[in-house]
C-alpha cells in the first residue's frame, strides 16, 4: 500500500455511490408508512442507516490518516471537529427550524408580553432546543412510545453521528492508535449496555449496540489499507455483495446489529473495490445530495401525501401502491438534489472558506 494511492479520489468513489443508495433505501422505507398494513412490506430499507454508520466510521478513519505526524495534534483535533460540525449542523438546523416552526409560532403568538415568552416556554420547546444540540430525549409524538426521536425524526442518527465525531476527535490525541482507542471506548460502552440495564434515555442511547457499526466502519478502513493494491474479479465482488445483502436482510428481520454491522461492512468493501475508477454521474449526484435527501424527504412526503389524498388515490392494488410510492420518492429525490445545489453546496463552500481563512491567519 502506498500513501499516494489513498489520496486518489477515485479510490473510494464507491463509498459516495453507496451513500446515495443508502439514502434511497431510507426514503423508500419511510414511504411505506403511508400504508396501514406494514407487515407485508420489507423493512430492509431501514438498513440504509446501518450502512451510513459504517460509512461514517470508514470516512473518519480515512480523513484522519495523516493526522498525528506532527506536534499540532490539539489544533488538528479541533479543526477535525469543526469540519464535521460544518458538514452536519447548518443544514440540520435548517430542517429543524422548518419542522419545528409550528411550535415556535404558537409560542410567540401566545405571548402578550415579554415575560410570557419565559412562562410559556414549555417542555416541548425544551425538547426542540435539545435537538439543536444533539441531546437525546423522549419523542414528542405519543405514538413513538417514549423512544429518543427528535422533531426531525431521522435526526436520531445525527445524535449518534455527533457523539461519534466528538469521541473520535478526542481519540486523535492517541495519534496512530486513534482507531484502537475509539474502538475500545465504543466496545466498552456497548458492553456496559449489555451488562447493565439502563433506565434513562442517556444510558440507553449511548450504550446502544448500533455504536458498534462505527467500529466496523473503522475496520473497513483497516482492511482497505491492507488490500487496496489488490485487484478482485467481478464475480468475487458480486458473490461478496450478495452475501452482504443476504446478511443485511437477515439482520433486518431481528434488528441484530451484530449481523447488520458486518453485513454493511462487506457491502462497503464491495462498493469500494467494484466502483474503483468507475465514473457514474447519476450515482455521484445522488451520493453528493444524499444528506439533503435524507434530511428533507419526510417534509416532502407531507406535500406528496396531501396530493395523493387530493386526487383520492386508493391504497389497494399494485398499480396504486407503486404510484403512491413514486409520488413520494421521486419528488423527495429531486427536491433533495435541488436543496443540495442551491443551499447545501454553496453554504458548505462558504463555511469551509471561512475556516481555511481562520486557520491561515496567524495568531496575534
Amino acid at each position: 500500500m502506498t500513501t499516494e494511492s489513498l489520496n486518489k479520489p477515485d479510490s473510494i468513489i464507491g463509498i459516495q455511490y453507496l451513500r446515495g443508495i443508502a439514502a434511497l433505501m431510507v426514503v423508500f422505507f419511510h414511504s411505506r408508512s403511508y400504508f396501514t398494513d406494514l407487515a407485508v412490506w420489507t423493512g430492509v430499507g431501514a438498513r440504509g442507516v446501518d450502512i451510513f454508520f459504517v460509512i461514517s466510521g470508514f470516512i473518519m478513519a480515512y480523513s484522519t490518516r495523516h493526522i498525528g505526524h506532527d506536534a499540532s495534534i490539539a489544533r488538528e483535533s479541533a479543526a477535525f471537529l469543526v469540519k464535521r460540525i460544518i458538514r452536519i449542523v447548518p443544514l440540520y438546523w435548517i430542517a429543524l427550524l422548518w419542522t419545528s416552526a409550528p411550535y415556535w409560532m404558537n409560542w410567540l403568538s401566545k405571548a402578550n408580553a415579554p415575560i410570557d415568552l419565559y412562562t410559556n416556554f414549555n417542555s416541548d420547546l425544551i425538547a426542540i432546543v435539545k435537538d439543536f444540540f444533539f441531546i437525546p430525549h423522549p419523542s414528542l409524538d405519543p405514538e413513538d412510545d417514549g423512544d429518543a426521536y427528535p422533531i426531525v425524526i431521522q435526526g436520531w442518527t445525527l445524535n449518534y453521528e455527533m457523539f461519534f465525531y466528538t469521541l473520535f476527535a478526542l481519540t486523535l490525541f492517541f495519534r496512530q492508535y486513534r482507531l484502537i482507542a475509539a474502538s475500545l471506548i465504543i466496545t466498552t460502552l456497548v458492553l456496559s449496555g449489555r451488562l447493565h440495564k439502563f433506565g434513562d434515555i442517556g444510558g440507553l442511547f449511548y450504550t446502544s449496540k448500533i455504536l458498534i457499526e462505527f467500529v466496523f466502519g473503522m475496520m473497513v478502513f483497516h482492511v482497505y489499507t491492507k488490500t487496496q493494491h489488490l485487484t478482485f474479479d467481478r464475480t468475487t465482488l458480486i458473490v461478496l455483495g450478495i452475501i452482504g445483502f443476504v446478511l443485511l436482510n437477515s439482520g433486518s428481520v431481528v434488528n441484530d446489529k451484530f449481523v447488520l454491522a458486518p453485513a454493511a461492512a462487506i457491502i462497503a468493501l464491495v462498493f469500494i473495490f467494484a466502483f474503483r475508477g468507475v465514473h457514474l454521474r447519476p450515482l455521484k449526484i445522488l451520493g453528493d445530495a444524499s444528506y439533503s435527501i435524507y434530511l428533507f424527504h419526510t417534509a416532502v412526503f407531507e406535500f406528496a401525501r396531501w396530493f395523493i389524498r387530493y386526487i383520492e388515490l386508493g391504497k389497494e392494488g399494485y398499480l396504486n401502491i407503486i404510484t403512491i410510492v413514486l409520488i413520494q420518492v421521486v419528488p423527495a429525490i429531486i427536491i433533495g438534489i435541488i436543496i443540495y445545489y442551491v443551499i447545501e453546496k454553496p453554504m458548505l463552500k462558504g463555511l469551509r472558506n471561512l475556516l481555511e481563512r481562520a486557520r491561515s491567519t496567524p495568531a496575534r
Side-chain angles (χ1 to χ4, degrees):
M1 180 201 69
T2 62
T3 302
E4 288 73 24
S5 63
L6 280 175
N7 285 329
K8 295 178 182 177
D10 285 352
S11 66
I12 60 166
I13 191 65
I15 286 291
Q16 195 69 352
Y17 297 162
L18 184 56
R19 263 199 187 115
I21 291 172
L24 284 187
M25 290 171 66
V26 174
V27 172
F28 169 76
F29 176 76
H30 286 159
S31 71
R32 69 186 200 136
S33 65
Y34 182 80
F35 304 92
T36 52
D37 186 11
L38 297 181
V40 298
W41 289 78
T42 174
V44 75
R47 306 286 67 92
V49 168
D50 303 287
I51 293 173
F52 276 135
F53 285 163
V54 168
I55 289 175
S56 287
F58 173 84
I59 292 297
M60 293 311 100
Y62 180 87
S63 64
T64 59
R65 62 196 182 280
H66 298 312
I67 286 181
H69 297 294
D70 53 40
S72 61
I73 191 65
R75 181 184 176 92
E76 293 297 329
S77 177
F80 163 83
L81 192 55
V82 171
K83 286 179 181 178
R84 300 320 302 168
I85 289 172
I86 287 173
R87 179 69 185 90
I88 295 296
V89 174
L91 196 67
Y92 180 50
W93 280 5
I94 292 173
L96 278 173
L97 286 171
W98 173 272
T99 307
S100 62
Y103 291 87
W104 300 113
M105 292 172 66
N106 182 60
W107 172 57
L108 291 171
S109 65
K110 288 184 177 180
N112 297 315
I115 189 64
D116 293 337
L117 294 175
Y118 173 76
T119 55
N120 293 339
F121 202 84
N122 56 35
S123 59
D124 287 352
L125 293 174
I126 292 173
I128 293 170
V129 170
K130 288 181 177 180
D131 290 342
F132 280 88
F133 293 96
F134 303 93
I135 301 171
H137 61 79
S139 173
L140 299 181
D141 188 343
E143 293 185 4
D144 291 329
D145 197 26
D147 289 334
Y149 291 127
I151 189 75
V152 177
I153 192 167
Q154 57 270 41
W156 69 269
T157 63
L158 301 182
N159 290 347
Y160 279 117
E161 293 277 6
M162 289 303 296
F163 171 70
F164 175 58
Y165 298 156
T166 304
L167 184 151
F168 198 85
L170 294 174
T171 61
L172 291 181
F173 286 91
F174 291 90
R175 299 175 184 269
Q176 66 266 34
Y177 302 109
R178 70 197 185 286
L179 303 186
I180 296 174
S183 298
L184 286 175
I185 293 170
I186 290 174
T187 302
T188 301
L189 288 171
V190 173
L191 285 175
S192 68
R194 308 284 70 75
L195 297 174
H196 177 74
K197 188 173 179 62
F198 290 94
D200 60 295
I201 286 289
L204 291 170
F205 198 84
Y206 295 116
T207 61
S208 170
K209 289 189 294 183
I210 203 169
L211 290 170
I212 209 70
E213 293 175 345
F214 293 118
V215 176
F216 273 83
M218 291 183 281
M219 290 170 58
V220 169
F221 171 77
H222 181 71
V223 172
Y224 173 65
T225 59
K226 300 299 182 184
T227 62
Q228 62 91 40
H229 61 284
L230 301 176
T231 301
F232 297 94
D233 67 86
R234 196 162 297 277
T235 302
T236 301
L237 293 174
I238 290 173
V239 170
L240 283 174
I242 292 172
I243 292 172
F245 277 102
V246 168
L247 285 173
L248 200 69
N249 184 66
S250 300
S252 179
V253 174
V254 292
N255 195 24
D256 188 344
K257 301 304 177 185
F258 292 106
V259 176
L260 293 170
I266 291 171
I267 292 169
L269 280 169
V270 167
F271 268 74
I272 290 172
F273 287 107
F275 291 97
R276 187 162 50 185
V278 177
H279 298 277
L280 298 171
R281 183 164 175 76
L283 275 182
K284 177 65 165 55
I285 292 172
L286 197 63
D288 290 344
S290 59
Y291 187 46
S292 290
I293 294 170
Y294 180 73
L295 276 183
F296 290 95
H297 72 274
T298 51
V300 176
F301 281 3
E302 294 298 320
F303 293 97
R305 291 175 180 185
W306 170 85
F307 177 74
I308 292 167
R309 290 190 292 268
Y310 178 77
I311 63 176
E312 299 182 347
L313 187 60
K315 299 179 182 180
E316 295 78 21
Y318 289 111
L319 182 59
N320 281 8
I321 292 172
I322 293 171
T323 303
I324 288 171
V325 170
L326 290 176
I327 288 175
Q328 295 177 87
V329 170
V330 173
I333 295 169
I334 294 172
I335 292 175
I337 292 173
I338 292 172
I339 291 172
Y340 168 72
Y341 281 108
V342 175
I343 299 176
E344 183 184 357
K345 188 176 181 180
M347 182 172 61
L348 282 177
K349 183 178 179 180
L351 290 172
R352 285 167 177 166
N353 287 340
L354 284 175
L355 177 61
E356 289 304 313
R357 285 201 293 269
R359 294 187 69 187
S360 61
T361 301
R364 295 184 179 179

